[in-house]
Amino acid sequence: DTEVTQTPKHLVMGMTNKKSLKCEQHMGHRAMYWYKQKAKKPPELMFVYSYEKLSINESVPSRFSPECPNSSLLNLHLHALQPEDSALYLCASSQPTSGRSNEQFFGPGTRLTVL
Amino acid sequence: QKEVEQNSGPLSVPEGAIASLNCTYSDRVSQSFFWYRQYSGKSPELIMSIYSNGDKEDGRFTAQLNKASQYVSLLIRDSQPSDSATYLCAVTGGSYIPTFGRGTSLIVHP
């Protein structure tokens, strides 16, 4: 099973709303990632969790707050977003190894629109 | 600064032709190399992984790796309109976290 699931598929929120994106994988991967992707651009790394600990935060504004409740789940809490935060938010997972077997698999993404 | 370079395209090929997509990388300690296909509005899908110099074939796809010249390529034989997508090259080295290229847009016209 190489599936990463994400909910919701689409999200429209106002700038004062609080919402959460959810991601789940059952591949036994111990690294999980959040990416932001704008149209015609490559995925832009936001956060990396390794063994449920935050290992990378790519200077992401505090209105984005990640959480890794266990080895299978990853959340992204959103608060006071701006219209420019509208994008496709991608979750991915892999093994945290630098050699082979570190293939990264993506979920289907959440299309976020901030009004 | 690790860099992965791809020509953004678009690369336009006729149906049935071979599409050749190229990627160069700057970090000499890079170990793992991946090709993803991304349809418009969808998420990236892993289609090939390659770790050793040489060719690796999977169906109509062939990945080629040359570590001495620091490039990796993807060949798509018998290209179909359904292959029209953006192809992302990703590379990992000392870290397990991949560096992505900007992607090459491929258009296969009937």
Side-chain angles (χ1 to χ4, degrees):
Chain A
D1 183 7
T2 58
E3 189 177 16
V4 179
T5 59
Q6 288 187 245
T7 56
K9 286 188 170 57
H10 301 276
L11 178 62
V12 179
M13 58 187 292
M15 290 190 285
T16 59
N17 293 156
K18 285 185 182 180
K19 297 287 185 183
S20 297
L21 309 184
K22 297 186 184 301
C23 173
E24 187 169 9
Q25 57 90 13
H26 292 289
M27 293 179 278
H29 288 164
R30 301 308 297 274
M32 295 187 76
Y33 310 72
W34 281 115
Y35 289 89
K36 173 183 177 180
Q37 189 177 28
K38 292 277 204 177
K40 301 190 185 302
K41 299 285 188 185
E44 178 185 340
L45 185 65
M46 300 174 72
F47 302 104
V48 181
Y49 275 83
S50 177
Y51 296 95
E52 296 88 70
K53 289 189 176 6
L54 183 65
S55 63
I56 290 184
N57 175 341
E58 291 284 6
S59 303
V60 179
S62 59
R63 57 186 184 269
F64 295 91
S65 174
E67 179 195 20
C68 189
N70 59 52
S71 61
S72 300
L73 293 174
L74 186 66
N75 298 321
L76 185 63
H77 303 297
L78 313 173
H79 172 56
L81 295 192
Q82 304 296 309
E84 59 265 28
D85 297 321
S86 298
L88 181 66
Y89 286 84
L90 296 162
C91 174
S93 71
S94 76
Q95 292 295 12
T97 56
S98 58
R100 298 190 177 203
S101 304
N102 61 353
E103 294 169 330
Q104 189 180 67
F105 294 93
F106 284 86
T110 294
R111 173 70 61 187
L112 174 67
T113 302
V114 182
L115 300 176
Chain B
Q1 179 79 10
K2 300 174 186 176
E3 292 185 349
V4 177
E5 299 286 343
Q6 294 181 257
N7 188 322
S8 61
L11 173 66
S12 182
V13 300
E15 184 174 357
I18 296 175
S20 178
L21 303 159
N22 299 313
C23 171
T24 60
Y25 58 94
S26 62
D27 189 352
R28 285 199 166 272
V29 301
S30 297
Q31 299 179 21
S32 305
F33 306 84
F34 309 98
W35 283 99
Y36 289 84
R37 178 176 62 199
Q38 186 172 25
Y39 293 114
S40 180
K42 302 295 186 182
S43 65
E45 174 192 8
L46 180 65
I47 55 172
M48 288 289 281
S49 308
I50 187 166
Y51 305 97
S52 304
N53 277 330
D55 294 0
K56 178 181 177 184
E57 187 174 317
D58 183 0
R60 293 187 297 111
F61 298 102
T62 299
Q64 299 176 317
L65 175 60
N66 184 322
K67 289 188 177 181
S69 300
Q70 294 178 239
Y71 82 78
V72 56
S73 61
L74 179 71
L75 301 179
I76 306 175
R77 289 182 301 282
D78 189 24
S79 295
Q80 301 297 309
S82 59
D83 295 324
S84 299
T86 295
Y87 289 80
L88 294 162
C89 172
V91 175
T92 64
S95 164
Y96 61 88
I97 298 168
T99 300
F100 284 86
R102 61 193 298 186
T104 297
S105 174
L106 173 67
I107 299 172
V108 181
H109 53 87

